[in-house]
Amino acid sequence: MPSPPSSKTFFANKRTAVAASDNGLVRVQRLDDLQVLVKMEPEMEEIDLIQWAAAKRDFLDATLADAGAILFRKFKLKTVEQFQAFVETACGPPLEYKERSSPRSQVSGNVFTSTDYPSDKTIFLHTEQSYNYVFPLRIAFFCVVQAAEGGETPVADTRRILQRLRPETRMRLENQGYLYVRNFGSGIGLSWQEAFQTEDPLEVERHCRGSFIDYEWLSKDRLRTRQRRPVVAHHPSGAKAWFNHMAFFHVSTLEPDIRRQMLENFSEEDLPNNTYYGDGSSIEPEIMDEIRAAYLAERKMFQWQSGDILLLDNVLTAHGRSPFVPPRKVVVAMARSCTWPELAPYDFGTR
């Protein structure tokens, strides 16, 4: 792991920032039991994280390229506005939430609630918006209120997930990619209006053509989309990472009671979400089991504390959510837009 450079950092002093030269202002620690996660804590209470991050942006990028995740703790950030300022300083302007797949509420600017999903349910590990043609390289979470119990945001190293898969599984999926089929308008999940953030079908069609998504209007309010995506990304560091939503959206990943209800109420082609091999054929149950087992074998957990910030390299680190006892408030922001051709040699076809 790279060591912090000996450049300036900053202290908070009422409304002004005072520069000081000191190598020991922030403690950097790779947690023994969480090899995917680096923890950073201030050595002195007066350190202003936003100002410090402005001077250490290259160091933060290098740390993320190595570890994949950074937990900032005890920096005394209290407001969503401070969190947004940190994200903009460390990563760039927060991105809009486009081509949505999960319900989120806007908190401030481009800061949103983490997925609005029942507190007693698990959200499986995934890499944010990897099903999209355009996705964020950075995702950050801010714990405003820690859960009374549970509510962890587990993380997993996608480089190690890829290494856990059998060579024959990797080869087939790297060659074919996967197909994500989505049905809007069934009453389950987001409507196409919410997902694409428009009431105009022509705007939806323009987005789909520009993002290599096949679309089919089944009725005025029912839309079916199909998009083929790679399963592996070539990170700018040179590492290969398992970067996709193949397991997350596959019907077999749903909790048993939800899966049963879905299969009782929908034909396979009408399921709100499902995934296939890139040629459209069904993925064998044992392959899905293998992939989910690889995620879970790499899953690492930590307990949130109010005021924590978790910053992830979205390509190198998957995240999820554990069930919790309310109250819990964790907000999220994304940054650094990237497209699939920048990270994978893949034939997306013609627009």
Side-chain angles (χ1 to χ4, degrees):
M1 182 178 65
S3 58
S6 58
S7 57
K8 292 181 179 180
T9 191
F10 297 83
F11 295 87
N13 182 10
K14 296 183 180 179
R15 293 183 178 270
T16 63
V18 180
S21 178
D22 186 343
N23 290 340
L25 297 177
V26 172
R27 184 186 313 115
V28 181
Q29 178 186 10
R30 174 93 75 163
L31 301 183
D32 290 341
D33 56 341
L34 298 178
Q35 291 302 306
V36 69
L37 187 65
V38 165
K39 183 172 69 173
M40 297 189 180
E41 295 181 340
E43 294 282 9
M44 307 173 210
E45 290 187 0
E46 297 84 1
I47 291 176
D48 184 321
L49 176 61
I50 297 167
Q51 296 288 348
W52 183 85
K56 307 293 188 182
R57 188 163 173 170
D58 289 345
F59 167 62
L60 294 177
D61 284 345
T63 303
L64 285 173
D66 175 44
I70 303 173
L71 176 65
F72 298 91
R73 176 161 285 175
K74 299 180 181 178
F75 281 96
K76 298 188 180 302
L77 267 68
K78 297 184 180 299
T79 69
V80 170
E81 290 72 23
Q82 289 175 313
F83 169 64
Q84 185 166 332
F86 166 78
V87 172
E88 185 155 0
T89 299
C91 308
L95 302 173
E96 296 180 45
Y97 182 33
K98 295 183 176 181
E99 199 181 323
R100 302 181 177 191
S101 65
S102 58
R104 284 179 174 155
S105 304
Q106 187 174 24
V107 178
S108 175
N110 286 328
V111 176
F112 299 85
T113 58
S114 55
T115 302
D116 299 330
Y117 195 62
S119 62
D120 62 336
K121 302 299 183 185
T122 296
I123 298 177
F124 194 75
L125 290 155
H126 60 284
T127 42
E128 193 68 27
Q129 295 198 314
S130 57
Y131 59 91
N132 284 357
Y133 186 72
V134 181
F135 48 83
L137 291 177
R138 296 284 183 268
I139 182 167
F141 301 87
F142 176 47
C143 181
V144 182
V145 178
Q146 67 192 73
E149 182 181 331
E152 298 90 352
T153 298
V155 293
D157 188 327
T158 56
R159 294 162 291 191
R160 295 176 62 89
I161 293 170
L162 179 62
Q163 293 167 3
R164 283 184 174 274
L165 300 179
R166 294 176 301 145
E168 54 268 35
T169 300
R170 292 175 53 175
M171 182 176 298
R172 181 174 183 182
L173 286 167
E174 286 194 61
N175 288 339
Q176 285 196 19
Y178 75 106
L179 176 67
Y180 171 34
V181 179
R182 190 173 184 186
N183 284 284
F184 302 90
S186 66
I188 302 295
L190 303 183
S191 66
W192 63 261
Q193 294 92 335
E194 175 68 15
F196 294 99
Q197 291 291 284
T198 182
E199 299 286 332
D200 185 355
L202 294 179
E203 183 61 32
V204 173
E205 293 175 11
R206 281 192 290 270
H207 175 87
C208 289
R209 287 193 295 270
S211 299
F212 299 95
I213 300 172
D214 296 329
Y215 60 89
E216 177 185 3
W217 291 102
L218 304 177
S219 69
K220 179 182 177 182
D221 289 318
R222 292 188 62 213
L223 171 66
R224 179 176 296 152
T225 60
R226 299 178 178 88
Q227 53 215 77
R228 287 174 175 80
R229 296 292 184 255
V231 297
V232 170
H234 298 257
H235 189 266
S237 66
K240 291 179 69 175
W242 182 252
F243 185 64
N244 60 77
H245 267 68
M246 195 178 80
F248 185 84
F249 283 136
H250 195 272
V251 64
S252 65
T253 303
L254 294 171
E255 295 187 9
D257 58 332
I258 299 176
R259 179 170 67 246
R260 183 177 58 257
Q261 293 175 32
M262 288 292 183
L263 295 175
E264 288 175 353
N265 288 282
F266 296 97
S267 65
E268 182 178 339
E269 68 175 358
D270 290 329
L271 286 167
N273 298 283
N274 205 6
T275 56
Y276 303 85
Y277 285 115
D279 63 3
S281 59
S282 297
I283 305 169
E284 299 86 352
E286 60 269 23
I287 298 298
M288 293 309 307
D289 289 343
E290 177 187 357
I291 292 167
R292 283 189 291 265
Y295 276 103
L296 296 177
E298 293 300 328
R299 179 181 57 182
K300 309 294 182 184
M301 309 273 272
F302 70 95
Q303 295 292 327
W304 279 115
Q305 294 181 15
S306 297
D308 283 352
I309 292 177
L310 178 66
L311 178 60
L312 305 181
D313 184 305
N314 186 44
V315 175
L316 298 181
T317 309
H319 66 276
R321 194 206 69 189
S322 300
F324 64 93
V325 175
R328 177 187 188 267
K329 183 176 181 180
V330 175
V331 300
V332 63
M334 296 168 274
R336 295 196 193 175
S337 180
C338 184
T339 63
W340 261 112
E342 296 175 71
L343 299 184
Y346 189 76
D347 182 10
F348 288 91
T350 57
R351 293 178 192 262

